[in-house]
Every structure is written in C-alpha cells, then in structure tokens.
Amino acid sequence: MSKAKKVIFVIVEGPTDEYALSSVLKQIFSSAEVHFHVIHGDITTEDAITANNAKSYVAKRIAAEMKKYAYKESDILQIVHLIDTDGAFIPDNLVKARKEKGVQYFEDHIETGEVKYIQERNQKKSSVVASLCSTGKMKSSIPYSIYYFSRNMEHVLHNVETELTDDQKVALADAFADRYEENPMDFVAFIESEEVAVPGGYTQTWTFIREGTNSLNRHSNLRILFEQENLKGTD
C-alpha cells in the first residue's frame, strides 16, 4: 500500500491566485499533495483580526478547512500563506487625497478619496502581518510561513500595475498557468531572478518590504519557499 502524501497547505486571497499557481506548484512539489485554501479576500484586514489574535484567528480558519477535508495535523507538511502587500507599509503621509472615489497606486504614493480609511487599513495590515511573520508554527507543530507579492500578484507575475477586472485577472492567470505548467522550473528561475526577488533570509526580506515605498514596488520573497529544507524532498 502506497504511503499517503503529505500536504502543503497554501492560503491565497482569491481564486485567480489558485488558477495561476496551482498547476505549477503541484508540478514543483509533485510528491506532496498541494491543497489551496481560497480566503476570498484579504484575511489580514478582516474586521475580526488584530495583531493580538492574528495567529489564533488564522489557525481557526486552517482548522475549519482541515476538518472539512479530514486532514490530521500530522498530514500537514507546511502551511504557505501568500498575500499582496497593497502598499500597506508606506508612511501615512504618502497616502494622498484625491477627489475621485477608489484607490490608485503609484510607485511612491497612494491616492484615494478615503485617506483616513486607507491609512487605518495600512496600519492594521502592517501590524497583523508583523505578528504573522513571527509565527513559525500553527496549531502545535505545523510549520507556517508567509510570503508576499508586491504590490500584488499581477504586478509581480505580469508587471501589470493598473487595476484589473476579474475577467482580466482570470485571463492573465490562465496565460501564466499555460506558460509554466510544463516548465515549472522556469517559474522558479523567474521568482529567483533579480527582476522580482528580494535577497536575504526570511526576516531580511520582511524588513526590506516594510521600508519606505518598497511595498508599492515590484518585489516578492516567494523564492524562499523553494529553498526550504523540509520541502526539498517533495520536488
């Protein structure tokens, strides 16, 4: 009887994240089961989450998904949490007012008709992410790590900075999956390239993205996922 595969549990914000990354991650980690849990939003800015309860809040969401799929704690090899930075780590004075509704992102500032709301969103996201970055395990023993796309996944993977419709996001995700599904190591080479990769260890990459306007620009620390020793036997 074959041994059951260990599970790499991947938390993402939206369905297009799964569309884009599912096939390539399943190819790269082919000896593990890669399970995607789609939050349908940004868990780091949900009303009920705070810096103080961030670990327990995310752990409860994971536990509910594990129960749904009958996963035991011993089944989970790694929890991988992927987020967009959304420029959340910039100084408050770089969130500037405009007459139009909505939010527009630039390389060195954000413009919005709701300055106070965006400042408060950024402050909350920053504090919650800082808490999650220091969380090495979920539940009692499952390794947990959080990685970012800055400013968002489409910015990193496609160098698209404009706001996109859902249909446009789906089209880009499908094109990305088609490009890398048969050549997954090309994706690893891209995510490790100077074009997007932040150098240094896990802590250093999070220090970098919190500095200045870095969280508005095109960066990712996802390369570290492919360097983790506990996952090397799954590729």
Side-chain angles (χ1 to χ4, degrees), residues 202-211 214:
Y202 183 75
T203 300
Q204 287 83 1
T205 64
W206 277 106
T207 298
F208 170 86
I209 206 64
R210 292 192 189 101
E211 294 174 342
N214 288 341

Side-chain angles (χ1 to χ4, degrees), residues 128-139:
V128 167
V129 168
S131 178
L132 292 174
C133 286
S134 64
T135 300
K137 294 184 184 300
M138 284 290 175
K139 298 178 78 67

Side-chain angles (χ1 to χ4, degrees), residues 8 10 40 43 48 50 58-59 84 102 110-111 126 159 163 180 182 212 221 227:
I8 299 174
V10 184
H40 297 284
I43 196 171
T50 68
V58 174
D84 296 336
I110 295 173
E111 291 183 9
S126 182
N159 201 18
E163 292 299 306
Y180 288 112
E182 300 302 323
N221 65 346
E227 299 169 3

Side-chain angles (χ1 to χ4, degrees), residues 1-5:
M1 185 175 179
S2 60
K3 185 178 180 181
K5 289 184 175 182

